[in-house]
Amino acid sequence: MGIQVEIVTPERRLVSGEFDLVTLPGVDGQMGIMRGHAPLLSTLDIGEIILHAGSDTQYIAVSGGVVEVRPDKVTVLADTAERAEEIDVERAQAALERARQSLAENPPPQRRVVMEAALRRSSLRLKVASRRRMRQRQAPTFEESEA
Ligand code: ATP
């Protein structure tokens, strides 16, 4: 039996299901949670959530939030969250470029903090989007493998 995982943003419910293992970007590093984990409440960093169920692995980009862990359930309230296959790569590249340009102009401290966070979000989105492409290469569809 796995652990129930709910991932919601202010806009939508992104994930609701049972998984064998979920790894989350805690502020002190990536944490792995399975059924039976001790209860905890933690803030989340900008990072990747990885959901494992049997041989299936799903990748999600989150930009911070909170997680509540109970022995049978993980609830994530994320600021923003996108599945790997939903990420608009051109948009993330444009956001990365804007953040890089802004940081190169030596902005005042408050703007620097904002742009550093934008840079981390866009880099993360590009990383998570590339995982989708890796998975597609590793696991061709029936049609592709027959071609
Ligand atoms: P941008 O400058 O491109 O808006 P951002 O990092 O400022 O990027 P956020 O404020 O983190 O964007 O997110 C705003 C909304 O847009 C959220 O719903 C988020 O899920 C979505 N979003 C942001 N970037 C992307 C992307 N590259 N692909 C898909 N959805 C995205």
Side-chain angles (χ1 to χ4, degrees):
M1 204 195 283
I3 189 162
Q4 184 69 23
V5 180
E6 305 278 335
I7 303 178
V8 299
T9 72
E11 291 158 0
R12 61 185 174 143
R13 179 173 304 269
L14 192 69
V15 170
S16 178
E18 196 177 307
F19 296 88
D20 302 325
L21 169 68
V22 51
T23 74
L24 302 149
V27 279
D28 297 322
Q30 204 71 7
M31 38 186 199
I33 312 283
M34 296 170 83
R35 189 179 182 85
H37 198 285
L40 71 85
L41 198 56
S42 172
T43 52
L44 292 179
D45 202 356
I46 295 170
E48 187 174 36
I49 297 179
I50 308 176
L51 299 163
H52 300 270
S55 60
D56 183 46
T57 309
Q58 296 180 40
Y59 298 90
I60 293 169
V62 281
S63 67
V66 292
V67 58
E68 181 198 38
V69 177
R70 288 195 271 124
D72 61 343
K73 187 170 182 182
V74 174
T75 307
V76 174
L77 309 178
D79 297 338
T80 68
E82 306 93 40
R83 292 175 184 279
E85 45 279 0
E86 292 172 340
I87 292 172
D88 179 336
V89 170
E90 281 181 21
R91 177 175 167 180
Q93 274 163 346
L96 179 68
E97 195 47 42
R98 277 197 307 278
R100 278 194 177 138
Q101 270 179 16
S102 179
L103 288 168
E105 288 161 11
N106 202 17
Q110 219 174 341
R111 182 153 175 82
R112 170 168 292 277
V113 170
V114 170
M115 285 299 122
E116 280 171 350
L119 186 119
R120 289 184 62 207
R121 287 195 303 276
S122 49
S123 305
L124 170 75
R125 286 178 176 130
L126 292 173
K127 177 177 133 184
V128 173
S130 75
R131 296 215 189 268
R132 158 192 63 186
R133 292 199 293 273
M134 271 164 45
R135 274 186 70 207
Q136 283 169 351
R137 272 206 298 276
Q138 279 165 7
T141 62
F142 177 72
E143 289 77 11
E144 283 168 0
S145 57
E146 289 296 290

Coordinates of all heavy atoms in Angstrom, one line a residue, residues 76-129:
V76 N 0.6 18.9 -0.4 CA 1.4 20.0 -0.8 C 0.6 21.2 -1.2 O -0.3 21.0 -2.1 CB 2.4 19.6 -2.0 CG1 3.1 20.8 -2.5 CG2 3.3 18.5 -1.5
L77 N 0.8 22.3 -0.6 CA 0.1 23.6 -1.0 C 1.3 24.3 -1.7 O 2.1 24.9 -1.0 CB -0.4 24.3 0.2 CG -1.4 23.6 1.1 CD1 -1.8 24.4 2.3 CD2 -2.6 23.0 0.3
A78 N 1.3 24.4 -3.0 CA 2.4 25.0 -3.8 C 2.0 26.3 -4.3 O 0.9 26.6 -4.6 CB 2.7 24.1 -5.0
D79 N 3.0 27.2 -4.3 CA 2.8 28.6 -4.8 C 2.4 28.4 -6.3 O 1.5 29.0 -6.8 CB 4.0 29.4 -4.7 CG 4.3 29.7 -3.2 OD1 3.4 29.5 -2.4 OD2 5.5 30.0 -2.8
T80 N 3.3 27.7 -7.1 CA 3.0 27.4 -8.5 C 3.5 25.9 -8.6 O 4.5 25.5 -7.9 CB 3.7 28.3 -9.5 OG1 5.1 28.0 -9.5 CG2 3.4 29.7 -9.3
A81 N 2.9 25.2 -9.5 CA 3.4 23.8 -9.8 C 3.0 23.5 -11.2 O 1.9 23.8 -11.7 CB 2.8 22.8 -8.8
E82 N 3.9 22.8 -12.0 CA 3.6 22.4 -13.3 C 4.2 21.0 -13.5 O 5.3 20.7 -13.1 CB 4.3 23.3 -14.4 CG 3.9 24.7 -14.3 CD 5.0 25.5 -13.5 OE1 6.2 25.2 -13.6 OE2 4.6 26.4 -12.7
R83 N 3.5 20.1 -14.2 CA 4.0 18.8 -14.6 C 5.0 19.0 -15.7 O 4.9 20.0 -16.5 CB 2.9 18.0 -15.2 CG 1.8 17.5 -14.2 CD 0.7 16.8 -15.0 NE -0.3 16.4 -14.1 CZ -0.3 15.4 -13.2 NH1 0.7 14.5 -13.3 NH2 -1.3 15.1 -12.4
A84 N 6.0 18.1 -15.8 CA 7.0 18.3 -16.8 C 6.4 18.5 -18.2 O 6.9 19.4 -18.9 CB 7.9 17.0 -16.8
E85 N 5.4 17.8 -18.5 CA 4.8 17.9 -19.9 C 4.0 19.1 -20.1 O 3.7 19.4 -21.3 CB 4.0 16.6 -20.3 CG 3.1 16.1 -19.2 CD 3.8 15.2 -18.1 OE1 5.0 15.0 -18.2 OE2 3.0 14.8 -17.2
E86 N 3.7 19.9 -19.1 CA 3.0 21.1 -19.2 C 3.9 22.4 -19.4 O 3.4 23.4 -19.7 CB 2.1 21.4 -18.0 CG 1.0 20.5 -17.7 CD 0.4 20.7 -16.3 OE1 1.0 21.4 -15.5 OE2 -0.7 20.3 -16.1
I87 N 5.2 22.2 -19.1 CA 6.0 23.3 -19.1 C 6.3 23.9 -20.5 O 6.6 23.2 -21.4 CB 7.4 23.0 -18.4 CG1 7.1 22.7 -16.9 CG2 8.4 24.1 -18.5 CD1 8.2 22.2 -16.1
D88 N 6.1 25.2 -20.6 CA 6.3 25.9 -21.9 C 7.8 26.3 -21.9 O 8.2 27.2 -21.1 CB 5.4 27.2 -21.9 CG 5.6 28.0 -23.1 OD1 6.6 27.9 -23.8 OD2 4.6 28.8 -23.4
V89 N 8.6 25.6 -22.7 CA 10.0 25.7 -22.6 C 10.5 27.1 -23.1 O 11.3 27.8 -22.6 CB 10.7 24.6 -23.5 CG1 12.2 24.8 -23.7 CG2 10.5 23.2 -22.8
E90 N 9.8 27.6 -24.2 CA 10.2 28.9 -24.7 C 9.9 30.0 -23.7 O 10.7 30.9 -23.5 CB 9.4 29.2 -26.0 CG 10.0 28.6 -27.2 CD 9.2 28.9 -28.5 OE1 8.5 29.9 -28.5 OE2 9.3 28.1 -29.4
R91 N 8.8 29.9 -23.0 CA 8.5 30.9 -21.9 C 9.6 30.8 -20.8 O 10.0 31.9 -20.3 CB 7.1 30.6 -21.3 CG 6.7 31.5 -20.2 CD 5.3 31.2 -19.8 NE 5.1 31.9 -18.5 CZ 3.9 31.9 -17.8 NH1 2.9 31.2 -18.3 NH2 3.8 32.5 -16.7
A92 N 9.9 29.6 -20.4 CA 11.0 29.5 -19.4 C 12.3 30.0 -19.8 O 13.0 30.7 -19.1 CB 11.1 28.0 -18.9
Q93 N 12.6 29.8 -21.1 CA 13.9 30.3 -21.6 C 13.9 31.8 -21.6 O 14.9 32.5 -21.3 CB 14.2 29.8 -23.1 CG 14.9 28.4 -23.0 CD 14.8 27.7 -24.3 OE1 14.0 28.0 -25.2 NE2 15.6 26.7 -24.5
A94 N 12.7 32.4 -22.0 CA 12.6 33.9 -22.1 C 12.7 34.5 -20.6 O 13.4 35.5 -20.4 CB 11.3 34.3 -22.7
A95 N 12.1 33.8 -19.7 CA 12.2 34.2 -18.3 C 13.6 34.2 -17.8 O 14.1 35.1 -17.1 CB 11.2 33.4 -17.4
L96 N 14.3 33.1 -18.1 CA 15.7 32.9 -17.7 C 16.6 34.0 -18.3 O 17.4 34.6 -17.6 CB 16.2 31.5 -18.2 CG 17.7 31.2 -17.9 CD1 17.9 31.0 -16.4 CD2 18.1 29.9 -18.6
E97 N 16.4 34.3 -19.6 CA 17.1 35.4 -20.2 C 16.9 36.7 -19.6 O 17.8 37.5 -19.3 CB 16.8 35.4 -21.7 CG 17.7 36.1 -22.6 CD 19.2 35.8 -22.3 OE1 19.6 34.6 -22.1 OE2 20.0 36.8 -22.3
R98 N 15.6 37.0 -19.3 CA 15.3 38.3 -18.7 C 16.0 38.4 -17.3 O 16.5 39.5 -17.0 CB 13.7 38.4 -18.4 CG 13.0 38.9 -19.6 CD 11.6 39.4 -19.2 NE 10.8 38.4 -18.5 CZ 10.1 37.4 -19.0 NH1 10.1 37.2 -20.3 NH2 9.4 36.5 -18.3
A99 N 15.9 37.3 -16.5 CA 16.5 37.3 -15.2 C 18.0 37.5 -15.3 O 18.6 38.3 -14.6 CB 16.2 36.1 -14.4
R100 N 18.7 36.8 -16.3 CA 20.1 36.9 -16.4 C 20.5 38.4 -16.8 O 21.5 38.9 -16.3 CB 20.6 36.0 -17.5 CG 20.8 34.6 -17.1 CD 21.5 33.8 -18.1 NE 21.8 32.4 -17.6 CZ 21.7 31.3 -18.3 NH1 21.3 31.4 -19.6 NH2 21.9 30.2 -17.8
Q101 N 19.7 38.9 -17.7 CA 20.0 40.3 -18.2 C 19.9 41.3 -17.0 O 20.7 42.1 -16.8 CB 19.1 40.7 -19.3 CG 19.7 40.4 -20.7 CD 18.8 40.7 -21.8 OE1 17.8 41.5 -21.6 NE2 19.0 40.2 -23.0
S102 N 18.8 41.1 -16.3 CA 18.6 42.0 -15.2 C 19.7 41.9 -14.1 O 20.2 42.9 -13.6 CB 17.2 41.7 -14.5 OG 17.0 42.5 -13.5
L103 N 20.2 40.7 -13.8 CA 21.2 40.5 -12.8 C 22.6 41.1 -13.3 O 23.4 41.6 -12.6 CB 21.4 39.0 -12.5 CG 20.2 38.5 -11.6 CD1 20.3 36.9 -11.6 CD2 20.3 39.0 -10.2
A104 N 22.8 41.0 -14.7 CA 24.0 41.5 -15.2 C 24.1 43.0 -15.1 O 25.2 43.6 -15.2 CB 24.1 41.1 -16.7
E105 N 22.9 43.7 -14.9 CA 22.9 45.1 -14.8 C 23.1 45.6 -13.4 O 22.9 46.8 -13.1 CB 21.6 45.7 -15.4 CG 21.5 45.6 -16.9 CD 20.1 45.7 -17.5 OE1 19.2 46.0 -16.7 OE2 19.9 45.4 -18.7
N106 N 23.5 44.7 -12.5 CA 23.8 45.0 -11.1 C 22.7 45.8 -10.4 O 22.8 46.9 -10.0 CB 25.1 45.8 -11.1 CG 25.8 45.7 -9.7 OD1 25.4 44.8 -8.9 ND2 26.6 46.7 -9.4
P107 N 21.5 45.1 -10.3 CA 20.3 45.8 -9.8 C 20.4 46.1 -8.3 O 21.3 45.5 -7.6 CB 19.2 44.8 -10.1 CG 19.9 43.5 -10.0 CD 21.3 43.7 -10.6
P108 N 19.6 46.9 -7.7 CA 19.6 47.1 -6.3 C 19.2 45.8 -5.6 O 18.6 45.0 -6.2 CB 18.5 48.2 -6.1 CG 17.8 48.3 -7.3 CD 18.6 47.8 -8.4
P109 N 19.5 45.7 -4.3 CA 19.4 44.4 -3.6 C 18.0 43.8 -3.7 O 17.9 42.6 -3.9 CB 19.7 44.8 -2.1 CG 20.6 46.0 -2.2 CD 20.2 46.7 -3.4
Q110 N 17.0 44.6 -3.5 CA 15.6 44.1 -3.5 C 15.3 43.4 -4.9 O 14.7 42.4 -5.0 CB 14.6 45.2 -3.2 CG 13.5 44.7 -2.3 CD 12.6 45.9 -2.0 OE1 13.0 47.1 -2.1 NE2 11.4 45.6 -1.5
R111 N 15.7 44.1 -6.0 CA 15.4 43.6 -7.3 C 16.3 42.4 -7.6 O 15.9 41.4 -8.2 CB 15.7 44.7 -8.3 CG 15.4 44.2 -9.7 CD 15.0 45.3 -10.7 NE 14.9 44.8 -12.1 CZ 13.8 44.2 -12.5 NH1 12.7 44.0 -11.7 NH2 13.8 43.7 -13.8
R112 N 17.5 42.4 -7.0 CA 18.4 41.3 -7.2 C 17.8 40.0 -6.6 O 17.8 38.9 -7.2 CB 19.7 41.5 -6.5 CG 20.7 40.3 -6.4 CD 22.1 40.7 -6.0 NE 22.7 41.5 -7.0 CZ 23.4 40.9 -8.1 NH1 23.4 39.6 -8.2 NH2 23.9 41.7 -8.9
V113 N 17.2 40.1 -5.4 CA 16.5 38.9 -4.8 C 15.4 38.4 -5.7 O 15.3 37.2 -5.9 CB 16.0 39.3 -3.4 CG1 15.1 38.2 -2.8 CG2 17.1 39.6 -2.4
V114 N 14.6 39.3 -6.2 CA 13.5 38.9 -7.1 C 14.0 38.3 -8.3 O 13.4 37.2 -8.7 CB 12.6 40.2 -7.4 CG1 11.6 39.9 -8.5 CG2 11.9 40.8 -6.2
M115 N 15.0 38.8 -8.9 CA 15.6 38.3 -10.2 C 16.3 36.9 -9.9 O 16.3 36.1 -10.8 CB 16.5 39.3 -10.8 CG 15.7 40.4 -11.5 SD 14.6 39.8 -12.8 CE 13.1 40.3 -12.2
E116 N 16.9 36.8 -8.8 CA 17.6 35.5 -8.5 C 16.5 34.4 -8.3 O 16.7 33.3 -8.8 CB 18.4 35.6 -7.2 CG 19.8 36.3 -7.5 CD 20.6 36.6 -6.3 OE1 20.0 36.5 -5.1 OE2 21.8 37.0 -6.4
A117 N 15.4 34.8 -7.7 CA 14.3 33.8 -7.6 C 13.7 33.4 -9.0 O 13.5 32.3 -9.3 CB 13.2 34.3 -6.7
A118 N 13.6 34.5 -9.8 CA 13.1 34.2 -11.2 C 14.0 33.3 -12.0 O 13.6 32.4 -12.7 CB 12.9 35.6 -11.9
L119 N 15.3 33.5 -11.8 CA 16.3 32.7 -12.4 C 16.2 31.3 -12.0 O 16.3 30.3 -12.8 CB 17.7 33.3 -12.1 CG 18.9 32.6 -12.9 CD1 19.6 33.7 -13.8 CD2 19.9 32.1 -11.9
R120 N 16.0 31.1 -10.7 CA 15.9 29.7 -10.1 C 14.7 29.0 -10.6 O 14.7 27.8 -11.0 CB 16.0 29.7 -8.6 CG 17.3 30.1 -8.0 CD 17.3 30.0 -6.5 NE 17.1 28.7 -6.1 CZ 16.5 28.4 -4.9 NH1 16.1 29.3 -4.1 NH2 16.3 27.1 -4.6
R121 N 13.6 29.8 -10.7 CA 12.3 29.1 -11.2 C 12.4 28.7 -12.6 O 12.1 27.6 -13.0 CB 11.1 30.1 -11.1 CG 10.6 30.4 -9.7 CD 9.2 31.0 -9.7 NE 9.2 32.3 -10.4 CZ 9.6 33.5 -9.9 NH1 10.0 33.6 -8.7 NH2 9.5 34.6 -10.7
S122 N 13.0 29.6 -13.5 CA 13.1 29.3 -14.9 C 14.1 28.2 -15.2 O 13.8 27.3 -16.0 CB 13.4 30.6 -15.7 OG 14.5 31.3 -15.2
S123 N 15.2 28.2 -14.4 CA 16.2 27.1 -14.6 C 15.6 25.8 -14.2 O 15.8 24.8 -14.9 CB 17.4 27.3 -13.7 OG 18.0 28.5 -13.9
L124 N 14.8 25.8 -13.1 CA 14.2 24.6 -12.7 C 13.2 24.1 -13.7 O 13.1 22.9 -14.0 CB 13.4 24.8 -11.3 CG 12.5 23.7 -10.9 CD1 13.3 22.5 -10.4 CD2 11.4 24.1 -10.0
R125 N 12.4 25.0 -14.3 CA 11.4 24.6 -15.3 C 12.1 23.9 -16.5 O 11.6 22.9 -17.0 CB 10.5 25.8 -15.7 CG 9.5 26.2 -14.6 CD 8.7 27.4 -14.9 NE 7.7 27.6 -13.8 CZ 7.5 28.7 -13.2 NH1 8.2 29.8 -13.6 NH2 6.6 28.8 -12.3
L126 N 13.2 24.5 -16.9 CA 13.9 23.9 -18.0 C 14.4 22.5 -17.7 O 14.4 21.6 -18.5 CB 15.1 24.8 -18.5 CG 14.6 26.2 -19.1 CD1 15.8 27.1 -19.3 CD2 13.8 25.9 -20.4
K127 N 14.9 22.4 -16.4 CA 15.4 21.1 -16.0 C 14.3 20.0 -16.0 O 14.5 18.9 -16.5 CB 16.1 21.2 -14.6 CG 16.6 19.9 -14.0 CD 17.2 20.1 -12.7 CE 16.7 19.2 -11.7 NZ 17.3 19.4 -10.3
V128 N 13.2 20.4 -15.4 CA 12.1 19.5 -15.3 C 11.5 19.1 -16.7 O 11.2 18.0 -16.9 CB 11.0 20.0 -14.3 CG1 9.7 19.1 -14.3 CG2 11.6 20.1 -12.9
A129 N 11.4 20.1 -17.5 CA 10.9 19.9 -18.9 C 11.9 18.9 -19.6 O 11.4 18.1 -20.4 CB 10.8 21.2 -19.7

